[in-house]
Amino acid sequence: MSFVAGSAGEWRVERMITVRGEGLPAAPRLQRIEGSTFVAPPEAAWVLSGVRSNERYVELEERRRLIAVQEDLGRASSAQAALIPLRKSKAWWALAQDERRAIFEARSRHIKIGLDYLPAVARRLYHSRDLGGPFDFLTWFEFAEGDAGAFDELVGRLRETEEWAYVEREVEVRLSRA
Ligand code: HEM
């Protein structure tokens, strides 16, 4: 999957917020391109690529809860979207798997908080750390215009958690369907 910012695309960039670290160049449109074999147009402002991967942290009961309420991307009602690329610190990646899980869920309640916003927010996680990109994760969210406030609240709550102390670069790209 690639996200191409430039002059074309089905999503209009409404605003870009540099939450932490270096920002990204401005662009009027964003395009999501499935597959890994495309060639980025030379006029693109930036291109970020990621892949879907296996889950790292979800436990069985959590997965059941998520599956019961979550909805898919591409809903007709989803007139707004957000692309949030993030990079976590060396300290995060140096932790053992059980320490990361403890921070992610036992202490930060990432899944528990996220569940409060389902099914309003549809989401997808792409990994890009092993592709050598500037971010570790590309996170994608779709929601109705009326749920934009709830989405703001969600990201606000997550950014106060211990997990986010390990986020060293984060850019929030807010979009509406062009
Ligand atoms: C990972 C749920 C919102 C950023 C995860 C995972 C779940 C989850 C279950 C773990 C996947 C795994 O096991 O590997 C949710 C739900 C949300 C939500 C239900 C509500 C809509 C967000 C938001 C952001 C975000 C708003 C960004 C601002 C991430 C990141 C990871 C992640 C970066 C990967 C963490 C890592 O592997 O270190 N999320 N999430 N999530 N989520 Fe969320």
Side-chain angles (χ1 to χ4, degrees):
M1 165 63 60
S2 292
F3 295 92
V4 181
S7 55
E10 66 272 34
W11 295 97
R12 181 181 309 111
V13 178
E14 298 292 349
R15 57 186 190 278
M16 287 181 39
I17 306 153
T18 302
V19 181
R20 214 167 286 181
E22 204 190 320
L24 285 169
R29 294 289 182 104
L30 184 84
Q31 205 169 353
R32 289 179 78 224
I33 299 177
E34 303 269 0
S36 56
T37 55
F38 93 107
V39 177
E43 68 276 13
W46 43 266
V47 180
L48 295 173
S49 299
V51 291
R52 296 181 72 175
S53 186
N54 60 287
E55 290 170 341
R56 269 67 164 173
Y57 303 110
V58 182
E59 294 181 351
L60 181 59
E61 193 44 44
E62 293 161 347
R63 182 187 289 166
R64 286 200 181 115
R65 248 176 262 151
L66 288 162
I67 287 170
V69 287
Q70 70 193 9
E71 288 184 4
D72 235 334
L73 302 180
R75 295 173 295 186
S77 58
S78 291
Q80 298 203 2
L83 169 66
I84 306 183
L86 300 100
R87 188 175 68 224
K88 286 183 171 177
S89 64
K90 266 204 178 106
W92 172 263
W93 294 108
L95 294 170
Q97 178 69 18
D98 58 343
E99 294 177 294
R100 287 199 296 263
R101 160 73 202 189
I103 294 166
F104 175 85
E105 190 57 29
R107 306 217 286 274
S108 298
R109 301 277 176 220
H110 187 124
I111 298 172
K112 187 172 183 295
I113 291 171
L115 275 164
D116 287 345
Y117 301 87
L118 265 44
V121 178
R123 74 195 163 90
R124 184 152 302 166
L125 175 64
Y126 299 97
H127 289 255
S128 48
R129 175 173 165 82
D130 292 338
L131 302 181
F135 295 95
D136 294 332
F137 308 100
L138 310 177
T139 63
W140 175 258
F141 307 93
E142 295 179 0
F143 43 87
E145 202 178 332
D147 290 318
F151 184 77
D152 290 335
E153 181 187 284
L154 164 64
V155 294
R157 286 174 70 185
L158 288 174
R159 286 177 187 143
E160 284 169 14
T161 62
E162 183 181 346
E163 183 193 355
W164 249 255
Y166 295 90
V167 174
E168 60 176 27
R169 188 176 181 195
E170 179 178 3
V171 182
E172 181 177 329
V173 184
R174 294 292 286 265
L175 308 147
S176 61
R177 226 180 260 285

